[in-house]
Amino acid sequence: MRHSEDRILVSHAGVLPRPEALLALMADSSTPVEEVESALPAAVQEVVRHQLETGIDVVNDGELSKAAGFSSYVRDRMTGIEQRELRPGETPRTPNKRDQRDFPGFYATGLGQPRSSRFRVRGAAGSTNPQSCVGPLSYIGKEAVQRDIRNLLAALPGPDVEAFLPAVAPGTVEHWLWNEYYPDDESFLYAIADVLHEEYLEITNAGLVIQIDDPDLPDGWQAHPEMDVATYHRFAKTRVEALNHALDGIPEHLVRFHICWGSQHGPHKDDIPLREIIDLVLEVHAECYSIEAANPTHEHEWRIWEEVSLPDGKSLMPGVVGHASDLIEHPQLVAQRLERVARLVGRENVIAGTDCGLASRVSHPEICWAKLTSLAEGARLASQALW
């Protein structure tokens, strides 16, 4: 994994706008799956080219193939899963229960959910009915992940361009996958980890960086309002240990770890502070840590690096443009955010990033690409100041 040796490198957290031709195919329920798959190589070529032209250094495939979303895509790569109806007394799982308790009128109007997006396509996660584990979990996604790997590698202009593929963390899968087979939560969690380990290996064996997406590490706090901080810390630590189990044997220099406090556009007043979980974040066997830092609920937390040392050899990818608003961050604000962190953890250890994947959370591709353009320009300004 590259570090920012002579300037601040630029990357992002994942999902990017699908090209219009691919979006039309994926939105049409009559389109054969084979036709969608045959259109993916050209679409990935286009989105990689657009990233490089925008000034992104570490690119990905835009998650174009993952119609079900960054987390739920694995439901098609695992056996033992069925969808069922909610039973009497059951309620959908949600990552904003604490906020719902404090702002009942706001949520009663239907507000506070992830933004309705023109990027939603056939197969996208949307039902509140549970996905349930009803049998032993096993991995059947090798062909799918190898297709993603082939498409990304073929789109790179040369071996000097670093690229990553995102994959979900066990704890985040556990959040939406209900256990109706394994004897307890821990054995269920480690079964998920064993399955995901196979996907992680495929990605890193291809020489690509893997980004582990784990929004549930912070937003699980909202989902469990019955817990106090100490109880939640123990709960989250078990999930980090399961993730490290899934990463066993994966080269740490090919792993970056992404957390955020969820993409729901609500108040986030009751989010857990980064201070309460930063020790757990740094326990993950990753070389780079991607952490939401532009959200107005969490932007002040950059000062945690005055007290907490980034371990030697690690890098930090703070989100310096956000997904919660269509406002375009000014490049000078982006630079300011990067400079203040770089002066605490070392300029060579900072990569410019986004709070979360942008395309499914802002309202239009023009906004997404404008934010990324501002991100690259802000990194250039910060590099001028720091070098």
Side-chain angles (χ1 to χ4, degrees):
M1 189 181 301
R2 295 170 61 191
H3 282 239
S4 298
E5 295 179 357
D6 53 9
R7 63 181 177 85
I8 290 182
L9 297 175
V10 182
S11 191
H12 60 90
V15 64
L16 296 172
R18 289 184 174 91
E20 290 294 337
L22 179 65
L23 188 64
L25 287 175
M26 297 182 79
D28 185 350
S29 61
S30 67
T31 305
V33 172
E34 294 78 13
E35 188 174 346
V36 172
E37 291 181 356
S38 68
L40 281 169
V44 174
Q45 289 269 1
E46 182 178 338
V47 81
V48 167
R49 181 173 64 252
H50 203 164
Q51 287 173 83
L52 294 171
E53 290 171 350
T54 301
I56 306 299
D57 297 295
V58 186
V59 302
N60 78 334
D61 66 344
E63 302 188 58
L64 301 188
S65 70
K66 295 174 179 174
F70 82 97
S71 170
S72 299
Y73 79 95
V74 295
R75 70 190 184 196
D76 298 322
R77 300 186 184 186
M78 301 166 70
T79 64
I81 299 175
E82 291 181 1
Q83 189 168 28
R84 62 167 175 81
E85 299 292 322
L86 283 169
R87 297 176 181 134
E90 289 182 339
T91 57
R93 292 179 176 175
T94 174
N96 50 25
K97 284 186 177 179
R98 292 177 190 264
D99 279 348
Q100 286 179 347
R101 176 193 60 198
D102 289 349
F103 301 94
F106 172 82
Y107 283 97
T109 67
L111 296 171
Q113 305 305 315
R115 180 174 299 171
S116 176
S117 172
R118 68 188 298 274
F119 298 97
R120 188 167 294 282
V121 296
R122 177 188 60 183
S127 173
T128 57
N129 289 336
Q131 298 280 343
S132 295
C133 172
V134 296
L137 297 173
S138 62
Y139 188 62
I140 55 170
K142 187 172 182 178
E143 182 178 343
V145 73
Q146 286 185 342
R147 177 200 61 208
D148 291 344
I149 291 167
R150 285 195 307 271
N151 289 341
L152 180 54
L153 290 176
L156 301 179
D160 56 328
V161 177
E162 187 168 274
F164 72 98
L165 278 179
V168 68
T172 291
V173 172
E174 181 201 29
H175 181 82
W176 57 259
L177 183 59
W178 298 39
N179 177 27
E180 298 183 5
Y181 176 78
Y182 289 92
D184 53 59
D185 289 347
E186 189 164 338
S187 57
F188 174 50
L189 187 64
Y190 275 78
I192 299 171
D194 285 335
V195 170
L196 293 176
H197 174 75
E198 297 189 45
E199 176 145 305
Y200 299 173
L201 271 179
E202 292 290 333
I203 294 170
T204 54
N205 282 347
L208 294 169
V209 171
I210 186 170
Q211 175 177 292
I212 304 296
D213 288 324
D214 196 10
D216 195 61
L217 178 60
D219 73 21
W221 165 255
Q222 284 259 12
H224 294 282
E226 74 281 3
M227 295 184 184
D228 60 18
V229 171
T231 303
Y232 183 72
H233 192 278
R234 291 192 296 271
F235 174 89
K237 185 176 179 64
T238 300
R239 275 89 197 140
V240 167
E241 290 169 348
L243 171 56
N244 284 335
H245 175 76
L247 288 168
D248 187 42
I250 306 291
E252 195 169 284
H253 71 272
L254 290 177
V255 181
R256 78 184 192 195
F257 180 57
H258 171 71
I259 64 163
C260 64
W261 280 261
S263 59
Q264 65 275 14
H265 290 192
H268 285 272
K269 175 181 177 292
D270 293 305
D271 287 356
I272 194 167
L274 179 61
R275 181 183 307 277
E276 303 293 352
I277 57 170
I278 188 61
D279 60 323
L280 299 177
V281 172
L282 296 178
E283 284 182 16
V284 174
H285 296 165
E287 184 168 301
C288 178
Y289 301 101
S290 164
I291 301 176
E292 183 172 358
N295 182 316
T297 303
H298 296 282
E299 184 176 357
H300 68 286
E301 292 180 313
W302 66 272
R303 302 201 71 158
I304 199 169
W305 302 108
E306 295 175 337
E307 305 168 18
V308 176
S309 296
L310 186 68
D312 290 344
K314 302 300 180 80
S315 59
L316 178 67
M317 190 169 86
V320 289
V321 301
H323 62 277
S325 168
D326 287 338
L327 292 171
I328 310 300
E329 293 83 354
H330 195 283
Q332 290 183 1
L333 175 61
V334 173
Q336 181 185 93
R337 289 169 170 170
L338 290 169
E339 288 173 42
R340 66 193 183 194
V341 173
R343 292 192 170 102
L344 293 176
V345 304
R347 61 188 184 181
E348 71 281 1
N349 298 321
V350 174
I351 299 171
T354 60
D355 274 357
C356 198
L358 296 179
S360 58
R361 297 169 178 89
V362 299
S363 62
H364 195 275
E366 292 174 348
I367 302 298
C368 176
W369 291 112
K371 282 178 173 281
L372 292 174
T373 298
S374 187
L375 175 66
E377 175 62 13
R380 186 185 67 80
L381 294 175
S383 296
Q384 289 178 347
L386 293 166
W387 272 269

